[in-house]
Amino acid sequence: MKRNTIATLLKSNVSSAPVYVKGWVKTFRANRFISLNDGSTLANIQCVLDFENTDESTLKKITTGAAIAVQGILIESQGQGQKVEIQVENIKILGEANPNEYPIQPKKHSLEFLRENAHLRIRTNTFSAIMRMRSALSFAVHKYFQENGFNYVHTPIITGTDAEGAGEMFSVSSLKNDSLPKTEDGKVDYTKDFFGKETHLTVSGQLEAETYAMALGKVYTFGPTFRAENSNTSRHLAEFWMIEPEVAFNDLIDNMDLAEDFIKYTLQYVLDNCKEDIEFLENRLLQEDKTKPLADRNEMTLTERLQFVANNEFKRISYTEAFDILRNCKPNKKKKFKYPIVDWGVDLQSEHERYLVEKHFKCPVILFDYPATIKAFYMRLNDDGKTVRAMDVLFPGIGEIVGGSQREERLDVLQNKMKALDIDPQELWWYLDTRKFGTAVHSGFGLGFERLVLFATGMSNIRDVIPFPRTPMNAAF
Ligand code: 4AD
Ligand code: MG
């Protein structure tokens, strides 16, 4: 008999139909009621056992976490709490889960404990809901771009360039540590390495994506990105997934419009398609809020927050306007910021970004025209000579979710900038070629996928929205 998924059974009309399901036991009560989940949906199906006709050794093996196969009849439920249930005719234990060893018991586990059991945490309601939403959001990303004429480009993971110029890269090498070839001046001789040069894991697919935008017009990447920044925060990962659209002939305003429209689309998509999971996570948050002081509680429910962002315009202001707001705000005057806002040109920290979004504007904010000195080399210089056409999208509870810009399309300006920053033009000869041959205004941005999943699920630690997080001192699993 073909296996039915629990999702379809729960949606189906009762007709005393023979059914066959497989899944993992959530709970087993009174030697009679099995709550079974197969991952197809958040909800469990109740399987009612005729225990008098089930042998003792089988009954003992029906424990939380065990895999079982159940053949029976789908009937209207006799009890409360579910519409349908399965009257079990035959049960088979597929894989036992010793209750003395299985860590995921039917009780509340801390998120920290579950992180240490990342290979099993997905069997909890919270993590199955998060990961189903992560999957739905990935689909929404592709759907949005594919429906809007973008081509998906697979940019390389191993690169020789540092797109962001921040030097936060992991090396890729096939040289053996105990016999490193050296040059005459004692440095590692990378000409003897696999690629004949020093290479790294990519920090961004942007530079390669730009070359594709200058031929295919509209492109996007969606792939893993690596940063060896030693920031042990709830918003940084060493390995994360980034979405990077790049569009020929788009200026900064078009770029902002695209970012806003794209984010709203993905959130509306989960609102429409992940109702059950959102509802579960929303209740989880409400419970969590009850343990917090009033001031730290969320003003809106998760659904309200998603709807709010999906339906309201993002506020757009320049760095300089934001700087003035921040310099004159109460927390700055009362020296509440860890990094006080004094001189124009400082990089904004997460505390500043969150003040603007959560306290001042109370909505997502797009900051643009940042000081050139705090942004990457490829951003287009404004006529004032000191700001660049950069934009960051800032989100409540998250801070920066998107970073992007209009690109410097003028060869001479770009070359001067690279010289000033000591970036080797020889390394980027191919990038410079796009400015030599048919250069044009173009723009793009990068959205940190996990930060979007954080927002959509209402979770607060980025380690909880990626299956196996990579962070400083942690690459388990
Ligand atoms: O602002 P970033 O560094 O921009 C770029 O890499 C550009 N090349 C993008 C582009 O224009 N094509 O990173 C973009 C986004 C950030 O806004 C943030 O959401 C996310 O990537 N991000 C991280 N997410 C998780 N962990 C980290 N360590 C992250 N670093 C950046
Ligand atoms: Mg950034």
Side-chain angles (χ1 to χ4, degrees), residues 132-149:
R132 267 189 303 271
M133 282 185 66
R134 184 181 165 107
S135 168
L137 277 168
S138 308
F139 182 66
V141 167
H142 285 297
K143 195 162 147 57
Y144 178 84
F145 287 121
Q146 295 290 336
E147 284 173 359
N148 285 286

Side-chain angles (χ1 to χ4, degrees), residues 357-406:
V357 172
E358 291 161 27
K359 299 282 185 303
H360 192 84
F361 290 112
K362 294 182 185 291
C363 71
V365 174
I366 309 184
L367 287 192
F368 59 90
D369 285 352
Y370 278 80
T373 48
I374 57 171
K375 289 291 182 188
F377 75 96
Y378 50 70
M379 299 190 180
R380 194 182 196 283
L381 191 64
N382 278 313
D383 292 342
D384 63 12
K386 57 177 195 173
T387 59
V388 285
R389 302 243 80 190
M391 61 150 208
D392 277 6
V393 181
L394 312 180
F395 253 48
I398 309 268
E400 180 190 336
I401 193 165
V402 160
S405 69
Q406 184 175 321

